[in-house]
Amino acid sequence: MKESVMHPNERRVREILNIVHSGRVSGKGLEDYFTPDAYYQPLVPAVAPIVGPGEIVAEIARQLTVYKDLHAEIHIIMADDAHVFTERTDHATFADLGNKRVSVPVMAVFDFTDGLITAWREIFDTRAAEAQIGVDQKAMSKIMGQ
């Protein structure tokens, strides 16, 4: 059986997800994975893109104040020189909402140029998250930073 070799961009995405899911993103060098004009859109199309490495890390840090014990269960990951696609289930605990554990399917696309991320876009079913957390659409928008 032929041994598979992980594409460098897949390795970078896995590293980023590990940093994010460690629960602490500040001081971990996460900014170094992005081009200066990179953007992160955590919920396409409902949330506007966050532009710039510092702003991206700040948004992820904000998200980590809302939930804890984050874990990404990657189901499929495909990578080439320009893109990485992931299908995963994110599991997280919402401490301020009675320690509810939520599992949400997520699709994400990472665009790359010369080994750096130029865009990171995610989409997930907010209604599924709302139902598991026990909140309405307005409360979910607040959770998403809108």
Side-chain angles (χ1 to χ4, degrees):
M1 183 177 210
K2 185 179 176 184
E3 183 179 326
S4 66
V5 176
M6 187 182 302
H7 192 282
N9 288 341
E10 177 182 343
R11 185 175 307 106
R12 288 178 187 98
V13 166
R14 288 180 182 275
E15 289 169 359
I16 288 166
L17 292 174
N18 285 337
I19 291 169
V20 171
H21 298 137
S22 74
R24 295 185 53 112
V25 293
S26 299
K28 301 277 185 165
L30 191 58
E31 295 93 344
D32 297 337
Y33 287 87
F34 299 95
T35 61
D37 61 344
Y39 73 88
Y40 168 53
Q41 192 168 9
L43 182 57
V44 176
V47 175
I50 294 114
V51 180
E55 291 78 2
I56 292 168
V57 173
E59 170 55 20
I60 293 169
R62 184 202 67 77
Q63 292 175 18
L64 291 170
T65 66
V66 175
Y67 45 76
K68 62 182 181 177
D69 302 327
L70 183 60
H71 169 70
E73 178 184 353
I74 297 174
H75 306 294
I76 298 171
I77 188 166
M78 296 182 297
D80 64 20
D81 292 341
H83 302 94
V84 174
F85 294 84
T86 65
E87 176 189 359
R88 63 183 203 262
T89 301
D90 282 0
H91 307 277
T93 302
F94 286 75
D96 290 344
L97 298 169
N99 284 320
K100 291 190 180 180
R101 187 81 175 153
V102 177
S103 297
V104 179
V106 179
M107 294 293 295
V109 179
F110 299 79
D111 298 342
F112 280 84
T113 298
D114 298 325
L116 295 176
I117 295 171
T118 60
W120 174 2
R121 299 177 302 283
E122 295 186 330
I123 188 164
F124 62 93
D125 183 355
T126 57
R127 299 280 192 250
E130 292 165 8
Q132 292 177 62
I133 299 168
V135 299
D136 61 16
Q137 187 175 7
K138 185 175 180 181
M140 188 67 190
S141 292
K142 186 176 179 182
I143 290 168
M144 291 301 300
Q146 301 175 358

